[in-house]
Amino acid sequence: MTRFLVALALLLASTTVARPKLGVIIVVDQLSADAFEARAAKTTGGIRRMIDQGARFRDLRFEIAPTITSAGHATIVTGTYAASHGIVSNEWIDWQSGKGVLSTEDHAYQTLDRPPAKQDGTAPTHLRVPTLGDALKVSDARAKVVAISGKDRSGILLAGRSADAAVWFDSERPIFTSSTFYAPKVPAFVEPTNQALGAALLKKLFTWGLPGGGTTGANPIPRGRQGDSEPDAEQPALQPLLDAWQIDLALAAVKSLQLGADEVPDLLAVSFSGHDRIGHGFGPDSPEGVAEFLAVDKEVGRLFDGLDQQLGKGSWVAVLTSDHGVAPVPETMLARRIDAGRIDLKKLREALEDEADARLGPGDWFAGNKTPGITATAQGREKVLAIADALRAVAIRQPGVLDLLPGPQLQAGALGSSVEVWRRGYVPGRSPDFTVVSKPYWIYTKKDVTGHASQWLYDRSVPALFLGAGVTKGVHEQAEAIDIAPTLARLLEVPPPAGAQGKVLREIVAAASGAVPPSGRTP
Ligand SMILES: [Zn+2]
């Protein structure tokens, strides 16, 4: 009996871990599970540390489509999908006005230190449920929440409503900025980085402009996309700089705002947007793509080292994942005799407009097209939905189109289980009236080298890695994207965000001393 009690006491002592003081969410924008597995062996930095010492899921599944940045970031921090959180895409066509709306657009606020733009990401107003950061604030008002990103939408959505700071890179100026939603001026910790990056960027831009400049030497002048207002956005040599500045800012925020300094857990979120820009501009298998991933690996290492120094080892817990994957470059697939290509959504909309004119009489039937579909005009909506079968027959004759799903049937679940992922991404008033389902390896873009948004696994499967206080080391196969927020909440010993539908990934959570918050998956 005595021996049993001693054993029990030893077991309890060995499995009790201190509550982490800081949670860290790292999003590597556009990182498919396949790309991660292919590159993992090359890592030497923070991602290597996560592989060697942490817990890892090879296949974190987004059980939703479309697979797009804003929707993915919102899912990671809310633990639910777009049908609940409301963020269906980066930009959608509003059903009433017929006009494009950005996922983080709110004209009541404006980007700091520049004139208001016609469309601008400034606030999480369209987000319908709380984020993990909000959950921390609900749990204890002293909790601090900071998000740092290369894109406004990623920073704002990771942060949520109650955050102390959301900071992102405004490539037009270029400078790190925020919006009046968060504060009247940029946080003090941003200023040294902004001062340093001005001079550094000028020097770099000059070097890239010279013959043989740039990373590869083959493409010294930034390969601006057609009609792109940010010609340098995909400059491969810019992104590692951007990654490094983001980590400079993250570590400055930890110091300046005293993140992780007291017993109330705080949250730091970082989204590496440069990785997505390189993916779109060069493809996931390109040398540029691999180089950018390794730059992220290095910067994640610098973040972890900085946290160890500032807060102490074992006092923080981190998760690294992605907002969506990416398709292989269609032309590369074609060369292997795999059916692949690019859907022309505009051309498809014109074909549907012709069919509607023929059946309903000449009219203004469609307001526009935005990935992944086509939106009717407010006055034409009811009539075009009534001829959905005829429109579908037209659509599936277009190259790359597998199906055309009308919204009401999608929402009612009348189309069968194969489109369940699209139903989870459907929000009336925001989602297209007609969702265009692509054939495998067909992408929705013509201007980028490749893209994402589809229902296919290469877009829906990403890695997830956990490291730090309370995490049990191990390699696992599947988890779901909505499990991230409840699991990190569990590790931080706070209740999950109120809308979360995912479960706690118990296989990685070491037995802790704190109370177990609700964790069951709700229907
Ligand atoms: Zn993205």
Side-chain angles (χ1 to χ4, degrees), residues 111-128:
T111 304
L112 296 174
D113 303 325
R114 71 160 160 82
K118 204 171 156 194
Q119 280 196 298
D120 214 355
T122 57
T125 310
H126 296 302
L127 186 65
R128 293 175 173 174

PDB file of all heavy atoms in Angstrom, residues 111-128:
ATOM      1  N   THR A 111      -6.845  53.074 -41.562  1.00  0.00           N
ATOM      2  CA  THR A 111      -5.447  52.713 -41.368  1.00  0.00           C
ATOM      3  C   THR A 111      -4.689  53.937 -40.878  1.00  0.00           C
ATOM      4  O   THR A 111      -4.926  55.048 -41.351  1.00  0.00           O
ATOM      5  CB  THR A 111      -4.855  52.201 -42.698  1.00  0.00           C
ATOM      6  OG1 THR A 111      -5.661  51.123 -43.154  1.00  0.00           O
ATOM      7  CG2 THR A 111      -3.435  51.701 -42.515  1.00  0.00           C
ATOM      8  N   LEU A 112      -3.785  53.714 -39.930  1.00  0.00           N
ATOM      9  CA  LEU A 112      -3.083  54.841 -39.312  1.00  0.00           C
ATOM     10  C   LEU A 112      -2.124  55.519 -40.287  1.00  0.00           C
ATOM     11  O   LEU A 112      -1.512  54.863 -41.129  1.00  0.00           O
ATOM     12  CB  LEU A 112      -2.302  54.347 -38.090  1.00  0.00           C
ATOM     13  CG  LEU A 112      -3.170  53.804 -36.947  1.00  0.00           C
ATOM     14  CD1 LEU A 112      -2.272  53.214 -35.847  1.00  0.00           C
ATOM     15  CD2 LEU A 112      -4.070  54.890 -36.368  1.00  0.00           C
ATOM     16  N   ASP A 113      -2.011  56.800 -40.143  1.00  0.00           N
ATOM     17  CA  ASP A 113      -0.994  57.609 -40.827  1.00  0.00           C
ATOM     18  C   ASP A 113      -1.059  57.575 -42.352  1.00  0.00           C
ATOM     19  O   ASP A 113      -0.039  57.687 -43.021  1.00  0.00           O
ATOM     20  CB  ASP A 113       0.422  57.189 -40.371  1.00  0.00           C
ATOM     21  CG  ASP A 113       0.565  57.308 -38.864  1.00  0.00           C
ATOM     22  OD1 ASP A 113      -0.023  58.239 -38.292  1.00  0.00           O
ATOM     23  OD2 ASP A 113       1.252  56.455 -38.267  1.00  0.00           O
ATOM     24  N   ARG A 114      -2.231  57.364 -42.892  1.00  0.00           N
ATOM     25  CA  ARG A 114      -2.375  57.570 -44.343  1.00  0.00           C
ATOM     26  C   ARG A 114      -3.844  57.855 -44.663  1.00  0.00           C
ATOM     27  O   ARG A 114      -4.730  57.518 -43.883  1.00  0.00           O
ATOM     28  CB  ARG A 114      -1.827  56.405 -45.143  1.00  0.00           C
ATOM     29  CG  ARG A 114      -2.611  55.115 -45.092  1.00  0.00           C
ATOM     30  CD  ARG A 114      -2.180  54.286 -46.314  1.00  0.00           C
ATOM     31  NE  ARG A 114      -2.450  52.871 -46.212  1.00  0.00           N
ATOM     32  CZ  ARG A 114      -3.632  52.317 -46.467  1.00  0.00           C
ATOM     33  NH1 ARG A 114      -4.680  53.065 -46.754  1.00  0.00           N
ATOM     34  NH2 ARG A 114      -3.783  51.006 -46.393  1.00  0.00           N
ATOM     35  N   PRO A 115      -4.100  58.453 -45.840  1.00  0.00           N
ATOM     36  CA  PRO A 115      -5.479  58.787 -46.184  1.00  0.00           C
ATOM     37  C   PRO A 115      -6.319  57.513 -46.312  1.00  0.00           C
ATOM     38  O   PRO A 115      -5.784  56.468 -46.693  1.00  0.00           O
ATOM     39  CB  PRO A 115      -5.364  59.480 -47.547  1.00  0.00           C
ATOM     40  CG  PRO A 115      -3.920  59.748 -47.755  1.00  0.00           C
ATOM     41  CD  PRO A 115      -3.149  58.821 -46.891  1.00  0.00           C
ATOM     42  N   PRO A 116      -7.598  57.572 -45.995  1.00  0.00           N
ATOM     43  CA  PRO A 116      -8.458  56.393 -46.117  1.00  0.00           C
ATOM     44  C   PRO A 116      -8.483  55.893 -47.559  1.00  0.00           C
ATOM     45  O   PRO A 116      -8.524  56.682 -48.488  1.00  0.00           O
ATOM     46  CB  PRO A 116      -9.844  56.904 -45.709  1.00  0.00           C
ATOM     47  CG  PRO A 116      -9.632  58.220 -45.067  1.00  0.00           C
ATOM     48  CD  PRO A 116      -8.339  58.775 -45.580  1.00  0.00           C
ATOM     49  N   ALA A 117      -8.422  54.582 -47.746  1.00  0.00           N
ATOM     50  CA  ALA A 117      -8.518  53.992 -49.079  1.00  0.00           C
ATOM     51  C   ALA A 117      -9.966  53.596 -49.342  1.00  0.00           C
ATOM     52  O   ALA A 117     -10.749  53.454 -48.411  1.00  0.00           O
ATOM     53  CB  ALA A 117      -7.602  52.778 -49.175  1.00  0.00           C
ATOM     54  N   LYS A 118     -10.285  53.419 -50.624  1.00  0.00           N
ATOM     55  CA  LYS A 118     -11.642  53.050 -51.002  1.00  0.00           C
ATOM     56  C   LYS A 118     -12.035  51.731 -50.327  1.00  0.00           C
ATOM     57  O   LYS A 118     -13.135  51.564 -49.808  1.00  0.00           O
ATOM     58  CB  LYS A 118     -11.698  52.899 -52.531  1.00  0.00           C
ATOM     59  CG  LYS A 118     -13.088  53.079 -53.101  1.00  0.00           C
ATOM     60  CD  LYS A 118     -12.983  53.142 -54.634  1.00  0.00           C
ATOM     61  CE  LYS A 118     -14.287  52.749 -55.282  1.00  0.00           C
ATOM     62  NZ  LYS A 118     -14.126  52.490 -56.717  1.00  0.00           N
ATOM     63  N   GLN A 119     -11.110  50.778 -50.368  1.00  0.00           N
ATOM     64  CA  GLN A 119     -11.294  49.521 -49.639  1.00  0.00           C
ATOM     65  C   GLN A 119     -10.085  49.337 -48.737  1.00  0.00           C
ATOM     66  O   GLN A 119      -8.952  49.433 -49.190  1.00  0.00           O
ATOM     67  CB  GLN A 119     -11.383  48.347 -50.610  1.00  0.00           C
ATOM     68  CG  GLN A 119     -12.754  48.196 -51.247  1.00  0.00           C
ATOM     69  CD  GLN A 119     -12.903  46.827 -51.870  1.00  0.00           C
ATOM     70  OE1 GLN A 119     -12.159  46.504 -52.781  1.00  0.00           O
ATOM     71  NE2 GLN A 119     -13.845  46.036 -51.379  1.00  0.00           N
ATOM     72  N   ASP A 120     -10.331  49.047 -47.464  1.00  0.00           N
ATOM     73  CA  ASP A 120      -9.230  49.011 -46.511  1.00  0.00           C
ATOM     74  C   ASP A 120      -9.563  48.056 -45.378  1.00  0.00           C
ATOM     75  O   ASP A 120     -10.696  48.056 -44.884  1.00  0.00           O
ATOM     76  CB  ASP A 120      -9.024  50.425 -45.950  1.00  0.00           C
ATOM     77  CG  ASP A 120      -7.569  50.703 -45.658  1.00  0.00           C
ATOM     78  OD1 ASP A 120      -6.744  49.777 -45.797  1.00  0.00           O
ATOM     79  OD2 ASP A 120      -7.255  51.848 -45.288  1.00  0.00           O
ATOM     80  N   GLY A 121      -8.587  47.250 -44.977  1.00  0.00           N
ATOM     81  CA  GLY A 121      -8.790  46.346 -43.848  1.00  0.00           C
ATOM     82  C   GLY A 121      -8.482  47.058 -42.544  1.00  0.00           C
ATOM     83  O   GLY A 121      -7.339  47.449 -42.318  1.00  0.00           O
ATOM     84  N   THR A 122      -9.493  47.252 -41.705  1.00  0.00           N
ATOM     85  CA  THR A 122      -9.277  48.055 -40.496  1.00  0.00           C
ATOM     86  C   THR A 122      -9.817  47.442 -39.208  1.00  0.00           C
ATOM     87  O   THR A 122      -9.402  47.856 -38.134  1.00  0.00           O
ATOM     88  CB  THR A 122      -9.956  49.435 -40.639  1.00  0.00           C
ATOM     89  OG1 THR A 122     -11.346  49.227 -40.909  1.00  0.00           O
ATOM     90  CG2 THR A 122      -9.330  50.256 -41.749  1.00  0.00           C
ATOM     91  N   ALA A 123     -10.744  46.491 -39.276  1.00  0.00           N
ATOM     92  CA  ALA A 123     -11.388  46.030 -38.039  1.00  0.00           C
ATOM     93  C   ALA A 123     -12.039  44.657 -38.218  1.00  0.00           C
ATOM     94  O   ALA A 123     -12.409  44.287 -39.333  1.00  0.00           O
ATOM     95  CB  ALA A 123     -12.456  47.037 -37.613  1.00  0.00           C
ATOM     96  N   PRO A 124     -12.209  43.907 -37.099  1.00  0.00           N
ATOM     97  CA  PRO A 124     -12.817  42.578 -37.195  1.00  0.00           C
ATOM     98  C   PRO A 124     -14.338  42.609 -37.102  1.00  0.00           C
ATOM     99  O   PRO A 124     -14.954  41.695 -36.565  1.00  0.00           O
ATOM    100  CB  PRO A 124     -12.209  41.852 -35.993  1.00  0.00           C
ATOM    101  CG  PRO A 124     -12.000  42.924 -34.976  1.00  0.00           C
ATOM    102  CD  PRO A 124     -11.736  44.203 -35.731  1.00  0.00           C
ATOM    103  N   THR A 125     -14.959  43.652 -37.623  1.00  0.00           N
ATOM    104  CA  THR A 125     -16.402  43.863 -37.481  1.00  0.00           C
ATOM    105  C   THR A 125     -17.234  42.715 -38.077  1.00  0.00           C
ATOM    106  O   THR A 125     -18.288  42.378 -37.536  1.00  0.00           O
ATOM    107  CB  THR A 125     -16.782  45.190 -38.177  1.00  0.00           C
ATOM    108  OG1 THR A 125     -15.886  46.202 -37.699  1.00  0.00           O
ATOM    109  CG2 THR A 125     -18.218  45.591 -37.885  1.00  0.00           C
ATOM    110  N   HIS A 126     -16.764  42.134 -39.176  1.00  0.00           N
ATOM    111  CA  HIS A 126     -17.537  41.059 -39.822  1.00  0.00           C
ATOM    112  C   HIS A 126     -17.410  39.706 -39.108  1.00  0.00           C
ATOM    113  O   HIS A 126     -18.126  38.772 -39.433  1.00  0.00           O
ATOM    114  CB  HIS A 126     -17.108  40.903 -41.284  1.00  0.00           C
ATOM    115  CG  HIS A 126     -17.396  42.117 -42.116  1.00  0.00           C
ATOM    116  ND1 HIS A 126     -18.658  42.640 -42.253  1.00  0.00           N
ATOM    117  CD2 HIS A 126     -16.577  42.927 -42.846  1.00  0.00           C
ATOM    118  CE1 HIS A 126     -18.613  43.711 -43.040  1.00  0.00           C
ATOM    119  NE2 HIS A 126     -17.363  43.908 -43.399  1.00  0.00           N
ATOM    120  N   LEU A 127     -16.472  39.628 -38.176  1.00  0.00           N
ATOM    121  CA  LEU A 127     -16.264  38.380 -37.421  1.00  0.00           C
ATOM    122  C   LEU A 127     -17.378  38.237 -36.387  1.00  0.00           C
ATOM    123  O   LEU A 127     -17.587  39.133 -35.572  1.00  0.00           O
ATOM    124  CB  LEU A 127     -14.883  38.416 -36.747  1.00  0.00           C
ATOM    125  CG  LEU A 127     -14.410  37.163 -36.026  1.00  0.00           C
ATOM    126  CD1 LEU A 127     -14.209  35.997 -36.996  1.00  0.00           C
ATOM    127  CD2 LEU A 127     -13.086  37.458 -35.297  1.00  0.00           C
ATOM    128  N   ARG A 128     -18.089  37.097 -36.424  1.00  0.00           N
ATOM    129  CA  ARG A 128     -19.302  36.964 -35.621  1.00  0.00           C
ATOM    130  C   ARG A 128     -19.114  36.273 -34.271  1.00  0.00           C
ATOM    131  O   ARG A 128     -20.059  36.207 -33.485  1.00  0.00           O
ATOM    132  CB  ARG A 128     -20.353  36.197 -36.427  1.00  0.00           C
ATOM    133  CG  ARG A 128     -20.836  36.985 -37.635  1.00  0.00           C
ATOM    134  CD  ARG A 128     -21.777  36.167 -38.501  1.00  0.00           C
ATOM    135  NE  ARG A 128     -22.357  37.007 -39.548  1.00  0.00           N
ATOM    136  CZ  ARG A 128     -23.116  36.550 -40.524  1.00  0.00           C
ATOM    137  NH1 ARG A 128     -23.394  35.260 -40.599  1.00  0.00           N
ATOM    138  NH2 ARG A 128     -23.605  37.377 -41.427  1.00  0.00           N
TER     139      ARG A 128
END
